[in-house]
Amino acid sequence: MDQTGRSLISLEGLNREDIIWLLDQAALFEAQPNRKILDGKIVATLFFEPSTRTRLSFETAVNRLGGRVIGFSDAATTSSSKGETLKDTIMMVSNYADLIIMRHYLEGAARYASEVSPVPIINAGDGANQHPSQTMLDLYSMRKTQGRLDNLNIYLVGDLKYGRTVHSMLVAMRFFNPTFHFISPKELQMPEEWKKYCMDNGIKFIEHSVLDEETIADADILYMTRVQRERFSDLAEYERVKDSFILTNSMLDNTRPNLRIMHPLPRVHEISQDVDDNPKAYYFQQAKNGLYVREALICNALNLL
């Protein structure tokens, strides 16, 4: 496992064996989530951008493992609002913590932080770039529901331009021979650089412009994403596309029995409430899986596994 005791900024540095090993560790934490493995450790959560599930699941992971949490969930209350540089913030916090978990609105901020920090950094999302811990819990959820990661039909729906979770998934799944289906409005298509990434890595993909019952009939995983208002500089464009792709319960009637619907959350309008009671809906269980995966990632970064 070549990432032991080091920062986790993206999944580029992991190979197939690393990913499977981490998922196996997460399964052990699911079986026994409460341990004292972090006794005496302090973890800082620095969230320069709003978060609910990611921040709370990381903090819950630390608490369940016997560690302590410091940090902030609103950068406006910190010295960064006075003009303190990211470097200075990281250097200061590293004096107090054994590990820093950071979300930032700028792409590349987590990598920069890892270059200046004397303690490991876990990237909890950097702009529209990547979100590795979310992707690991996505893979954990896929393996748990499908019994495998290899040869899956994965349908990515919604905001594929700014959606960091779907970009990270392409990186992680390159070892598992998936077939991706990209379903999005024209304004939010998968960026050309990510399509080139797929071609360079032998990842099969098909693009669609419509979300309907026929399009998703062969899906193993239907991965819905919200249209992210905060990523748009032109709010008129956001209003035009925000409700482009909405999944309703009736669209699931002829889908595969093994289909599971996933979503990184928060949900806005893209999944109708009536889907929640469908046995194929998995997004709330998916969020719960994040606790076990993040326990594994924290312990791995601190060289405790």
Side-chain angles (χ1 to χ4, degrees):
M1 179 68 207
D2 66 358
Q3 290 287 310
T4 299
R6 296 197 298 177
S7 298
L8 178 63
I9 305 306
S10 82
L11 299 180
E12 285 281 5
L14 303 184
N15 59 33
R16 178 187 169 99
E17 290 70 29
D18 293 335
I19 290 171
I20 291 172
W21 183 82
L22 281 168
L23 297 180
D24 289 343
Q25 295 302 311
L28 296 176
F29 280 111
E30 180 171 7
Q32 187 184 353
N34 298 314
R35 309 184 196 180
K36 294 300 180 185
I37 197 169
L38 292 185
D39 189 32
K41 298 292 185 183
I42 295 176
V43 176
T45 53
L46 310 185
F47 280 72
F48 294 86
E49 192 176 54
S51 170
T52 302
R53 276 148 301 278
T54 301
R55 181 175 64 84
L56 291 180
S57 66
F58 266 121
E59 293 184 356
T60 301
V62 175
N63 283 304
R64 287 197 178 276
L65 294 174
R68 293 176 178 268
V69 177
I70 62 172
F72 56 81
S73 58
D74 182 0
T77 65
T78 73
S79 291
S80 64
S81 65
K82 303 174 184 176
E84 182 175 66
T85 65
L86 178 59
K87 178 182 178 181
D88 286 4
T89 299
I90 295 297
M91 294 300 292
M92 181 272 297
V93 173
S94 68
N95 289 327
Y96 311 138
D98 301 289
L99 170 69
I100 294 173
I101 298 164
M102 187 179 88
R103 169 170 289 186
H104 204 280
Y105 49 86
L106 291 178
E107 295 183 23
R111 183 164 302 283
Y112 173 75
S114 73
E115 292 169 353
V116 300
S117 174
V119 302
I121 303 282
I122 293 179
N123 180 10
D126 60 330
N129 187 27
Q130 292 203 38
H131 195 349
S133 70
Q134 176 70 47
T135 299
M136 290 301 295
L137 78 89
D138 292 343
L139 267 60
Y140 186 81
S141 299
M142 286 191 282
R143 189 174 75 159
K144 188 173 178 180
T145 61
Q146 305 300 314
R148 69 187 201 280
L149 283 175
D150 291 295
N151 307 314
L152 294 175
N153 286 329
I154 303 172
Y155 288 59
L156 306 179
V157 184
D159 183 358
L160 308 186
K161 180 178 181 180
Y162 300 109
R164 57 192 170 202
T165 61
V166 297
H167 301 157
S168 281
M169 188 180 292
L170 297 179
V171 174
M173 288 300 294
R174 71 192 187 278
F175 302 113
F176 301 100
N177 192 37
T179 299
F180 281 107
H181 292 255
F182 301 154
I183 308 176
S184 67
K186 182 179 179 181
E187 296 90 342
L188 296 173
Q189 286 180 342
M190 186 66 72
E192 289 300 322
E193 61 265 29
W194 283 108
K195 287 190 277 188
K196 184 178 185 300
Y197 181 89
C198 288
M199 290 183 280
D200 290 346
N201 286 276
I203 301 171
K204 300 182 291 293
F205 68 89
I206 302 166
E207 294 187 275
H208 307 268
S209 58
V210 175
L211 175 66
D212 59 20
E213 187 173 342
E214 183 177 348
T215 305
I216 64 174
D218 293 326
D220 297 312
I221 297 294
L222 183 59
Y223 194 93
M224 303 294 297
T225 68
R226 71 185 172 94
V227 176
Q228 303 174 84
R229 184 180 186 274
E230 63 270 26
R231 306 287 178 219
F232 282 81
S233 55
D234 182 352
L235 289 183
E237 182 183 13
Y238 167 75
E239 291 294 331
R240 189 165 58 251
V241 303
K242 67 177 183 179
D243 294 328
S244 299
F245 294 85
I246 298 176
L247 181 68
T248 63
N249 203 37
S250 62
M251 294 166 66
L252 301 172
D253 290 345
N254 296 313
T255 52
R256 291 181 174 182
N258 63 299
L259 171 70
R260 290 299 178 268
I261 302 152
M262 295 171 56
H263 193 308
L265 301 176
R267 165 180 57 181
V268 186
H269 308 294
E270 60 278 358
I271 301 178
S272 297
Q273 297 282 335
D274 62 357
V275 174
D276 293 355
D277 296 326
N278 193 303
K280 296 175 181 178
Y282 194 73
Y283 27 90
F284 296 123
Q285 298 97 314
Q286 173 191 357
K288 184 177 181 179
N289 291 337
L291 170 63
Y292 317 125
V293 169
R294 289 176 172 127
E295 285 184 318
L297 295 178
I298 288 167
C299 291
N300 181 63
L302 288 169
N303 202 15
L304 296 173
L305 291 178

